[in-house]
Amino acid sequence: AQSVAQPEDQVNVAEGNPLTVKCTYSVSGNPYLFWYVQYPNRGLQFLLKYITGDNLVKGSYGFEAEFNKSQTSFHLKKPSALVSDSALYFCAVRDKGGGNKLTFGTGTQLKVEL
Amino acid sequence: EAGVVQSPRYKIIEKKQPVAFWCNPISGHNTLYWYLQNLGQGPELLIRYENEEAVDDSQLPKDRFSAERLKGVDSTLKIQPAELGDSAVYLCASSLGTVAGGGTGELFFGEGSRLTVL
């Protein structure tokens, strides 16, 4: 069964500093990996995805993520955090051979402070 | 292009009452999902449709939950009777097939329907 782990319930960062939100995954085959963001009382919004190709993928709002197959990780990064980035972030994985089933992590609350 | 539309956004009912949620996916998206999200948790899949066929409903509590997707477009999720533990946000999402099949892979979510059972 596929699964995702987000080891940090909350990440606190000062505005202007780089941020990293961690994610590790487990699938039986090659993964499709996704990051979503959720603002209060809103649905999930797609940020970026890794399907194949370059290990560093760029997404919306200046976010990027690095796929590391040997460490089975897909950490979300941003060079300079903004207060408006404060939200709940979810990593998700889909097994390439598993159809359309997307499995989410438990989420990491990002808090960016002045 | 309109996104995934869900209604109602909020619903408060007493336990043992029935409730229904409606979802209209993005036009042309053949795959539709219902997810359950408890407070502070990640979404958990309840049921997935490929067109009008439910292809994964293993996590749907079938004693009280039911879903349908007539004509492969809109979908309705019903709970009857509702229990206190059903209080959560019910998210609908849609996608355009699989990446392997030429689709984009990512899911597009609606705003969710927040259920409170008293």
Side-chain angles (χ1 to χ4, degrees):
Chain A
Q2 56 195 43
S3 65
V4 172
Q6 294 182 243
E8 303 155 316
D9 290 336
Q10 181 161 323
V11 171
N12 296 321
V13 177
E15 188 175 52
N17 283 0
L19 69 87
T20 298
V21 182
K22 296 179 180 178
C23 170
T24 58
Y25 66 89
S26 175
V27 295
S28 57
N30 291 319
Y32 296 151
L33 293 157
F34 303 81
W35 276 101
Y36 286 82
V37 60
Q38 187 176 34
Y39 297 97
N41 299 315
R42 304 296 297 276
L44 278 70
Q45 297 176 33
F46 169 76
L47 273 180
L48 52 80
K49 65 182 176 184
Y50 171 81
I51 302 299
T52 187
D54 289 341
N55 291 339
L56 184 66
V57 294
K58 295 186 183 297
S60 306
Y61 313 120
F63 283 92
E64 58 189 28
E66 186 170 10
F67 171 63
N68 187 316
K69 188 173 183 178
S70 63
Q71 297 184 6
T72 62
S73 67
F74 190 56
H75 301 330
L76 182 69
K77 300 180 180 183
K78 187 174 182 181
S80 179
L82 299 172
V83 171
S84 58
D85 292 330
S86 298
L88 188 57
Y89 290 81
F90 291 98
C91 182
V93 67
R94 170 185 291 170
D95 187 336
K96 284 186 179 179
N100 286 336
K101 183 175 182 178
L102 193 64
T103 300
F104 287 86
T106 53
T108 298
Q109 184 70 48
L110 174 66
K111 187 174 183 181
V112 183
E113 299 170 310
L114 291 171
Chain B
E1 179 182 293
V4 176
V5 179
Q6 290 188 246
S7 68
R9 285 293 315 277
Y10 303 93
K11 187 73 175 180
I12 301 174
I13 61 173
E14 294 188 348
K15 62 181 180 181
K16 300 185 181 180
Q17 294 299 306
V19 64
F21 305 111
W22 174 81
C23 173
N24 183 258
I26 292 173
S27 178
H29 282 194
N30 57 317
T31 307
L32 183 145
Y33 315 73
W34 283 102
Y35 278 87
L36 166 70
Q37 186 178 24
N38 287 304
L39 186 64
Q41 299 295 313
E44 300 172 25
L45 182 67
L46 288 172
I47 189 168
R48 172 167 59 95
Y49 283 93
E50 298 288 348
N51 299 305
E52 65 274 9
E53 182 182 359
V55 296
D56 185 354
D57 63 356
S58 58
Q59 302 302 310
L60 189 73
K62 297 181 183 64
D63 56 336
R64 297 184 300 107
F65 286 64
S66 64
E68 60 182 11
R69 191 184 185 197
L70 300 176
K71 300 182 181 179
V73 181
D74 294 5
S75 178
T76 302
L77 177 70
K78 298 179 181 179
I79 308 174
Q80 183 171 10
E83 296 179 352
L84 295 176
D86 296 332
S87 296
V89 176
Y90 293 84
L91 294 168
C92 180
S94 68
S95 69
L96 185 63
T98 62
V99 175
T104 56
E106 65 263 33
L107 275 62
F108 295 84
F109 284 83
E111 299 284 278
S113 294
R114 181 178 296 277
L115 173 64
T116 301
V117 182
L118 303 177

